[in-house]
Amino acid sequence: MDSDSAQLPEAAGEPLTARIDTTKPHPARRYDYWLGGKDNFAADRESADAVAEVFPTVQLAAVENRNFLRRAVAYLAAEAGIRQFLDIGTGLPTTGNVHEIAQDIAPESHIVYVDNDPIVLLHARELLDSSPAGATAYLDADLRSPQQILKHPDLLRTLDLTRPVALMLVAVLHFITDDEHPYQLVEELVEALPAGSYLVMSHATNDHLEDEDVARNAAANRRSGVPFQLRSSAEFARFFEGLELISPGITAVTTWRPEVYRPHPRAEAVSMLGAVARIP
């Protein structure tokens, strides 16, 4: 599937610009701002700056999280032999998208991207620039509705759910608060995948914060207008119950299989956990 044959939801519905509310911040656009992108609005920047007031290294965390995604996809494609990827919470296209990394190693790889921001949808054709041997698709859908994703015809045309799939939930679950049942959402997605599939996750953590800092972060997130929940290593580990963690297990994203030695930022400066696990 290439960009000419791919179907984007804008073709059949209302103009995408009518769905874009520039007065409310969105995680994808806020992340774009931290990565130095231009597809964000004043509300996104104000929200991002509110978080940066109490977590000044948040931009570093965003960059290191992206590096973790790149290393995890390269491991899965080169060492684990995975040829199918389901990336939920894709965000705006940037250097090193999943299909670029995977298809550079295995051109026949198939990738489905999922996000719920119309701005991401506007740029989705960049995510559909597949190699001729592979395929990509983009779904305008929400992690909070797993069945909408799993039963989407474009997903079923692109991925074979009887064969292993890498489920990518990178820097997205911290936007799902406990009242939205995050563990059940992940379990529902994992249960739909066959043995030999993988779960890749990263998540902001409060492991390195004192109680006072946790309270300040919670207040900043309320001011930011974006629901957000830090979780401890123990809470993060619950997402992987029953799965086989790949070495080095649950760790800071900076120390998950680094490619070469370099001075790593302190774990507390990034405050992001990462892990990859095999579904038995």
Side-chain angles (χ1 to χ4, degrees):
M1 180 182 295
D2 58 27
S3 58
D4 293 327
S5 62
Q7 286 292 316
L8 290 177
E10 62 179 301
E14 63 180 333
L16 282 178
T17 51
R19 293 176 46 196
I20 299 171
D21 186 349
T22 63
T23 67
K24 295 180 180 179
H26 190 279
R29 302 194 301 262
R30 196 170 69 173
Y31 193 63
D32 174 72
Y33 173 62
W34 283 326
L35 289 175
K38 299 178 180 179
D39 297 307
N40 49 75
F41 302 98
D44 306 304
R45 297 188 287 273
E46 291 169 8
S47 173
D49 290 342
V51 174
E53 284 182 16
V54 296
F55 185 29
T57 55
V58 66
Q59 183 177 10
L60 173 64
V63 171
E64 291 297 340
N65 179 73
R66 194 73 190 182
N67 288 336
F68 164 74
L69 177 145
R70 178 176 53 79
R71 296 195 306 274
V73 172
Y75 161 77
L76 291 167
E79 298 186 43
I82 294 296
R83 298 295 180 263
Q84 301 190 109
F85 297 80
L86 174 56
D87 181 13
I88 302 178
T90 297
L92 284 152
T94 187
T95 302
N97 298 299
V98 171
H99 75 282
E100 294 169 329
I101 302 163
Q103 292 182 347
D104 185 56
I105 296 167
E108 69 275 21
S109 297
H110 286 212
I111 296 90
V112 170
Y113 294 105
V114 182
D115 210 298
N116 65 348
D117 180 12
I119 286 283
V120 179
L121 179 54
L122 277 172
H123 292 268
R125 292 200 184 279
E126 296 177 44
L127 300 171
L128 301 177
D129 185 22
S130 173
S131 68
T136 60
Y138 178 88
L139 312 186
D140 183 24
D142 197 309
L143 171 59
R144 297 170 183 84
S145 302
Q147 291 306 314
Q148 179 189 3
I149 296 170
L150 293 168
K151 295 178 180 178
H152 197 290
D154 287 347
L155 180 144
L156 297 175
R157 276 194 292 267
T158 309
L159 302 182
D160 178 356
L161 295 184
T162 68
R163 296 174 52 241
V165 175
L167 172 61
M168 312 286 298
L169 297 172
V170 176
V172 65
L173 261 297
H174 42 231
F175 298 113
I176 307 295
T177 53
D178 281 346
D179 61 305
E180 295 178 299
H181 311 294
Y183 297 103
Q184 289 90 325
L185 293 175
V186 174
E187 183 179 8
E188 190 171 345
L189 289 164
V190 167
E191 287 183 345
L193 303 180
S197 295
Y198 286 80
L199 171 63
V200 179
M201 282 186 62
S202 64
H203 196 298
T205 183
N206 54 16
D207 280 358
H208 310 288
L209 301 179
E210 301 293 336
D211 290 344
E212 180 180 343
D213 294 325
V214 171
R216 290 176 63 230
N217 270 272
N221 285 317
R222 287 193 294 271
R223 291 197 307 274
S224 77
V226 176
F228 194 90
Q229 184 165 344
L230 298 169
R231 292 187 172 94
S232 67
S233 290
E235 290 172 312
F236 183 61
R238 283 185 56 195
F239 289 110
F240 296 93
E241 288 180 357
L243 308 184
E244 301 169 354
L245 284 165
I246 302 301
S247 178
I250 293 172
T251 183
V253 291
T254 51
T255 55
W256 194 90
R257 295 185 173 237
E259 296 155 324
V260 295
Y261 172 79
R262 65 184 176 89
H264 295 301
R266 292 176 293 112
E268 55 267 35
V270 175
S271 289
M272 187 80 71
L273 298 170
V276 177
R278 184 179 182 277
I279 300 172

